[in-house]
Amino acid sequence: MEILKVKTRKRKEVVDITADVERIVSKSNVKEGICFLFVPHATAALTINESADPNIKTDFLESLEKLIPDGIWRHDRIDNNGAAHLKSAIIKPDLMIPIKDSRLLLGTWQAIMLCEFDGPRERKIYVSFLK
Amino acid sequence: MEILKVKTRKRKEVVDITADVERIVSKSNVKEGICFLFVPHATAALTINESADPNIKTDFLESLEKLIPDGIWRHDRIDNNGAAHLKSAIIKPDLMIPIKDSRLLLGTWQAIMLCEFDGPRERKIYVSFLK
Amino acid sequence: MEILKVKTRKRKEVVDITADVERIVSKSNVKEGICFLFVPHATAALTINESADPNIKTDFLESLEKLIPDGIWRHDRIDNNGAAHLKSAIIKPDLMIPIKDSRLLLGTWQAIMLCEFDGPRERKIYVSFLK
C-alpha cells in the first residue's frame, strides 16, 4: 500500500489527483487489476468526474452547498463542520478504478477527485492494488 | 475484463443491467469472489435498487432532478449537461457485488442500475472479477 | 464470506458496526488486504463517518430527510417506503476498507455506518476479504 499526501488550500475544494494516482500505478508493476483508493478522513471524500472544465468542480461544490448548507447542524455546536461530515458520508471515502496495460482505465472525461469539505489540511489517500 | 455495452434510449433513464451482468458472471467460472463494475463515463453512474416496481426508477430520476435541477450550472454554458455531471459525481461510477455459487449475491429486491443522465448514448460497463 | 446480522430498532437509524466488523477481521487472519462489505437490502445502505459525536448520525438522517422527504413518491402507493429506496440508491450498499496489521485502516474519526431507512428489521451484511 502506498500513501498519497495532498495539501488542500481552501475550506472547500475539489482536487484532481489523477496524475498522482497514475504515477503510483506506473511504479506498481500492476498490468491488469484494480486500484483501490481510500481517504481516512471524516470530512473528505473521493469521487470521479470531469476535470477539463474547471466549472464542474465549482458546480459540484455549490450543488452540495445548496443541499447540505453550513451552520444548521447539531454537530456545528461542537466542531462547526457538520456539513463537511454529512457531505463526506454521502460521497463516501472509497473508490475503485480498473487498471489495464499498467494504466488507470478511466473514460476520456473522467478524473479522480479528492473532495475537501473542511480544509485547508494535509490529506492522506491510501492506494492499494488488487489483481 | 469484459465490456458490457448498453444502448440507452432517453435523455435520463435507469436501465436494469442485472441479467446482462449475471450472464457474464456465469461465463466467468468465478464461483466465489467479487464482481467489480465500472462505467467509464462522466455523465452516467452505477447503483443498486429495486427493479420490480418500475416506479422506483422514475422516483429516483425525479428525486435527483429536484436536488440537481437542469439549466442552472456554470458547465451548462459549455455543454448544457452540468446536472448530468453532478448527479454522476454523487452516485459514482464504481460498484462491487459479492459472488457466491457462481451467481451475484444480490438481495431479493436488489437490481443493478445503470444511471443514464445525458443520453441517449451507447454506454460501456467494464466487468472484472476478484477472487 | 461471513454474514453479520444486525437488528435495527427504529424506522430510521444509523448503527455503528465498526466493532462487529473489526471482530470478523481479527478472526479472518488477513494481515493486509481489503475488507468488502455489502448489504443485500434495497432500503438500507453502508457508509463511513464519525460516531464519537452521536449528533452526526441524527444530522445525517435529518439531512437525508430534507432531501428525500417521506410520502411523496410513486412507490409509496405500493409499499409506503419510497424514500427508503431512494436514500439507499444514493448511499449505495457496497463499501471497501483497507486492512493493515490485521486491523481496519480507518481514520481516527471514521466509523462504519449501517444506514437503516425502513426498519426496524434484522439486516444482513456480507463481509468478504481480498488480498
Side-chain angles (χ1 to χ4, degrees), chain B residues 32-34 46-50 53 55-56 58-64 66-67 90-100 105-110 130-131, chain C residues 1 36-44 66-68 72-79 81-82 84-86 88-94 96 126 128-131:
Chain B
E32 190 156 342
I34 292 173
L46 291 171
T47 191
I48 283 182
N49 213 267
E50 188 183 318
D53 176 9
N55 287 322
I56 292 183
T58 313
D59 284 339
F60 181 68
L61 291 172
E62 285 191 6
S63 67
L64 290 178
K66 281 181 198 167
L67 299 177
I90 291 171
I91 305 299
K92 294 167 75 161
D94 60 335
L95 190 65
M96 309 276 292
I97 303 147
I99 295 170
K100 204 174 180 191
L105 200 59
L106 291 164
T108 317
W109 302 107
Q110 285 184 316
L130 293 163
K131 291 180 221 179
Chain C
M1 203 190 71
F36 169 51
L37 306 178
F38 187 88
V39 59
H41 305 287
T43 54
K66 281 182 197 166
L67 299 178
I68 312 281
I72 61 165
W73 308 103
R74 282 177 180 77
H75 183 67
D76 288 335
R77 288 172 226 149
I78 296 176
D79 261 355
N81 64 357
H85 283 281
L86 303 178
S88 302
I90 291 170
I91 306 300
K92 297 171 67 162
D94 59 336
M96 309 277 291
Y126 300 139
S128 314
F129 300 100
L130 293 163
K131 289 180 221 180

Side-chain angles (χ1 to χ4, degrees), chain B residues 1 15 17 50 56 61 67 70-71 101:
Chain B
M1 202 191 73
V15 184
I17 59 169
E50 188 183 318
I56 292 183
L61 291 172
L67 299 177
D70 276 326
D101 303 327

Side-chain angles (χ1 to χ4, degrees), chain C residues 6-124:
Chain C
V6 177
K7 275 190 189 151
T8 60
R9 296 176 192 286
K10 298 182 190 167
R11 179 88 203 275
K12 295 157 195 173
E13 189 181 7
V14 174
V15 185
D16 181 349
I17 58 169
T18 314
D20 301 296
V21 177
E22 196 74 85
R23 206 172 306 122
I24 295 172
V25 172
S26 303
K27 282 194 296 185
S28 73
N29 289 319
V30 176
K31 287 195 177 165
E32 187 155 343
I34 292 173
C35 177
F36 169 51
L37 306 178
F38 187 88
V39 59
H41 305 287
T43 54
L46 293 171
T47 191
I48 284 182
N49 215 268
E50 188 184 318
S51 184
D53 175 8
N55 287 323
I56 291 184
K57 293 178 192 165
T58 313
D59 284 338
F60 180 68
L61 292 172
E62 286 191 5
S63 67
L64 290 179
E65 204 69 33
K66 281 182 197 166
L67 299 178
I68 312 281
D70 276 327
I72 61 165
W73 308 103
R74 282 177 180 77
H75 183 67
D76 288 335
R77 288 172 226 149
I78 296 176
D79 261 355
N80 206 30
N81 64 357
H85 283 281
L86 303 178
K87 291 171 189 170
S88 302
I90 291 170
I91 306 300
K92 297 171 67 162
D94 59 336
L95 192 65
M96 309 277 291
I97 303 147
I99 295 171
K100 203 172 178 192
D101 301 327
S102 309
R103 289 187 60 94
L104 294 168
L105 198 58
L106 291 164
T108 317
W109 302 106
Q110 286 185 315
I112 308 169
M113 307 291 207
L114 170 66
C115 309
E116 170 62 85
F117 296 126
D118 191 35
R121 302 200 199 191
E122 184 173 87
R123 298 298 196 172
K124 284 188 289 187

